[in-house]
Amino acid sequence: MCSRTTARNRTGRPRSAEADAAILDATRAALVELGWSKLTMGDVATRAGVAKTTLYRRWANKNELVVDAVAVLFDELSLPDLGSLQADIENVVLQFAELLERPETKTALMAVVAESTRDEPLRARIRTSIVDRQKRLVLEGRQRAQERGELPGDRDPAAVAATDALIFDVIAGAVVHRALVSAEPVDQEWVERLSALLVGGLGAAAAAR
């Protein structure tokens, strides 16, 4: 009896997806209203209708909580097969731009990026929870383009990984700078120019190899 009780206590209650979603929603709402400096775990707990201890069982601190609140928004991005690499790129770039137009995305992303300049653990969490997870879109796009014959297969895993990382950096950097720094529209014309530049560059690099 004692061993069963100990095991049950050690395992704890299973996490609730509904509670997690409410907490992350509350985090983004609080960020929009209060900003990074005034946001507290207690305020998020009150908004979400949970005990503060519930938050600390899931997230060690505010930094981790805010990164996860941003990460789930980026998980909404998808890469439907539109028949060509350029069309696929255009679609996901427009999705990304629309996501950045949402106040909760814009506020949360800018807050964690600014804070990460002086917090290396936060920077590492951004890489693993947002950047590395979203590189899946580049991987899916490249594999699909290779299956269509738009891009050649590449036998060098290191070269593939480096190219995928560069494509991600170019797309993410260009869209974030355009939308949040320059405050210029990410419209269809701009997206078409960006995607044509990327596809042309990938084709030239493949030909050179």
Side-chain angles (χ1 to χ4, degrees), residues 111-124:
V112 294
V113 169
E115 190 66 19
S116 72
T117 61
R118 50 184 177 270
D119 187 333
E120 179 54 37
L122 176 58
R123 192 178 309 160

Side-chain angles (χ1 to χ4, degrees), residues 155-201:
R155 298 180 180 179
D156 184 349
V160 170
T163 299
D164 287 350
L166 181 58
I167 294 169
F168 181 88
D169 289 344
V170 169
I171 293 175
V175 177
V176 169
H177 187 277
R178 177 84 175 177
L180 302 185
V181 179
S182 298
E184 296 287 344
V186 181
D187 54 23
Q188 185 66 42
E189 181 183 357
W190 185 86
V191 171
E192 288 175 1
R193 292 202 308 270
L194 174 65
S195 60
L197 185 66
L198 283 168
V199 172

Side-chain angles (χ1 to χ4, degrees), residues 5-158:
T5 302
T6 302
R8 185 167 58 250
N9 290 341
R10 183 171 59 247
T11 302
R13 297 174 62 186
R15 288 179 63 156
S16 163
E18 292 79 7
D20 283 358
I23 291 167
L24 297 178
D25 286 345
T27 302
R28 293 188 295 270
L31 267 173
V32 172
E33 181 179 332
L34 303 173
W36 177 275
S37 63
K38 295 182 179 180
L39 177 70
T40 67
M41 298 285 272
D43 182 74
V44 172
T46 299
R47 289 169 183 260
V50 300
K52 189 158 63 172
T53 53
T54 300
L55 264 68
Y56 283 107
R57 281 199 298 267
R58 291 160 164 77
W59 296 277
N61 51 51
K62 180 173 78 172
N63 291 358
E64 291 185 3
L65 174 60
V66 174
V67 170
D68 282 4
V70 178
V72 297
L73 295 177
F74 285 95
D75 286 343
E76 297 175 11
L77 298 174
S78 63
L79 193 69
D81 187 345
L82 298 180
S84 72
L85 178 59
Q86 183 160 340
D88 291 352
I89 292 173
E90 289 174 8
N91 180 269
V92 77
V93 168
L94 287 171
Q95 286 183 60
F96 185 25
E98 290 175 3
L99 184 60
L100 292 179
E101 289 179 359
R102 292 160 57 176
E104 65 270 27
T105 310
K106 184 185 305 184
T107 303
L109 180 61
M110 295 294 274
V112 294
V113 169
E115 190 66 19
S116 72
T117 61
R118 50 184 177 270
D119 187 333
E120 179 54 37
L122 176 58
R123 192 178 309 160
R125 191 172 181 89
I126 291 171
R127 282 196 299 268
T128 57
S129 298
I130 300 176
V131 176
D132 290 347
R133 270 171 34 188
Q134 296 313 313
K135 285 182 179 177
R136 64 184 170 81
L137 297 169
V138 177
L139 178 62
E140 290 173 18
R142 175 176 53 78
Q143 290 178 334
R144 189 180 293 161
Q146 288 175 338
E147 291 169 0
R148 295 191 193 109
E150 295 175 288
L151 293 176
D154 198 326
R155 298 180 180 179
D156 184 349

